[in-house]
């Protein structure tokens, strides 16, 4: 579960060691906690239009993708919390999503089935995550 993820992160797990992250990154352009905004928040970029849908389904099953998302959310949340403690100012997560290039394959039933369990996670457990 996510408590186990957070313990691994606190023990020094680096981002590229997240299980199955390399497979994900061969299918879509994503840069999590890439930089900081002027306000000091951690910024993530996702180019959904770059997603190679067939490769995405070939390399990852639904449970692996769910775990990757939980791990990423915990990873960024952990580092936001850590920076908040270090700086004394609230550090949020800010996500920029590029929807250019999205086609029918990106909005198919199989994509909906894969994304449905993940969609409520940020709202339910990560109120510091802002999207734009």
């Amino acid at each position: 579960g996510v408590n186990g993820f957070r313990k691994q992160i606190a023990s020094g797990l680096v981002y590229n060691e997240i299980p199955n992250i390399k497979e994900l990154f061969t299918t879509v352009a994503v840069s999590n906690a890439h930089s900081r905004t002027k306000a000091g928040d951690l910024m993530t970029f996702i180019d959904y239009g770059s997603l190679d849908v067939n490769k995405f389904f070939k390399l990852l099953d639904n449970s692996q993708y769910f775990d990757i998302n939980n791990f990423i959310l915990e990873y960024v949340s952990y580092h936001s919390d850590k920076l908040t403690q270090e700086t004394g100012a609230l550090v949020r997560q800010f996500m920029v999503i590029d929807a250019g290039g999205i086609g029918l394959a990106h909005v198919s039933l199989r994509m909906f089935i894969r994304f449905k369990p993940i969609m409520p996670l940020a709202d339910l457990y990560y109120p510091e995550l802002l999207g734009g």
Side-chain angles (χ1 to χ4, degrees), residues 11 18 28 42 68 112 120 131:
S11 297
I18 293 173
V28 66
L42 290 176
I68 290 168
F112 176 76

Side-chain angles (χ1 to χ4, degrees), residues 42-56:
L42 290 176
M43 188 177 293
T44 292
F45 300 96
I46 302 174
D47 178 5
Y48 279 126
S50 73
L51 177 66
D52 181 334
V53 175
N54 290 326
K55 190 173 183 181
F56 179 59

